[in-house]
Each structure stands twice: as structure tokens, then as C-alpha cells.
Amino acid sequence: MARSHGERKKTRHKFNKDLRARGFSPVSRAVQEFAIGSKVHIDIDPSVHKGMPYRRFQGLTATVVGHQGRAYLIGIRDGGMDKTLIVRPQHLKPQKNA
């Protein structure tokens, strides 16, 4: 049988939610706003498929570069190159100031 090459391939364990966190995510994650230049953590919410970044960026910290509709443009350094991701706010968390 041919192997599937979809957007979420090889994410069975990476995109699992724990038992009590399953179902819809809270609305507060969808309406959160970030200022341009602020640092955010990429924390992919598997229950929201729209605006989901690629699986290799899970857990990384990035900088907000701009807006694009409801989504944010996120600047990240990966593999020696600067990359820009288009990510919805459900998949982002603000960085706590240390």
C-alpha cells in the first residue's frame, strides 16, 4: 500500500493530547493578540487544522514579524536560514518574561 504524504504525516505521538485536554480548545487561545516584535512559543494545537505550522517547528521560539489576515507572520531561524511561517494564534503561546 502506498504511504500517505499529507501535512500531518508522522505526527501520531507528537500531536497527541492528554486525556483531559481532548476536544475543542478554549476560545481565549483563538482571540489572543501579539505585538509585532514579541517572542512566542510555537505550540501546535492538533484540534485546529487551519493555520497549523509544519511539525518540525513544534516547540520552537520565534518572533512575530507581522499580520496576515487572522494569522501572524512568524520569523524563525532554521537550518542556517531565516524562515517566515504563517501561523494562527491557536498554535502560539506568549513567552513569559524571565
Side-chain angles (χ1 to χ4, degrees):
M1 181 176 210
R3 173 173 262 190
S4 170
H5 294 287
E7 294 176 7
R8 292 182 55 154
K9 71 173 183 175
K10 298 185 176 181
T11 61
R12 174 174 291 190
H13 300 292
K14 185 175 273 197
F15 287 172
N16 257 358
K17 284 187 169 187
D18 22 327
L19 189 61
R20 293 179 186 273
R22 293 200 179 162
F24 295 114
S25 59
V27 177
S28 59
R29 288 221 31 201
V31 297
Q32 61 185 343
E33 295 183 2
F34 301 101
I36 294 175
S38 62
K39 295 277 190 181
V40 292
H41 297 297
I42 299 173
D43 180 34
I44 297 174
D45 183 359
S47 66
V48 180
H49 295 181
K50 275 196 166 188
M52 182 182 286
Y54 188 67
R55 62 186 166 91
R56 85 180 293 166
F57 303 114
Q58 165 69 20
L60 298 182
T61 303
T63 308
V64 176
V65 179
H67 293 282
Q68 185 166 327
R70 294 181 186 178
Y72 289 94
L73 297 172
I74 305 297
I76 199 161
R77 186 129 178 106
D78 179 51
M81 295 180 288
D82 291 323
K83 296 184 178 181
T84 304
L85 308 175
I86 302 168
V87 182
R88 285 210 175 177
Q90 290 94 326
H91 308 292
L92 300 173
K93 285 186 177 177
Q95 182 182 30
K96 307 258 185 191
N97 293 334

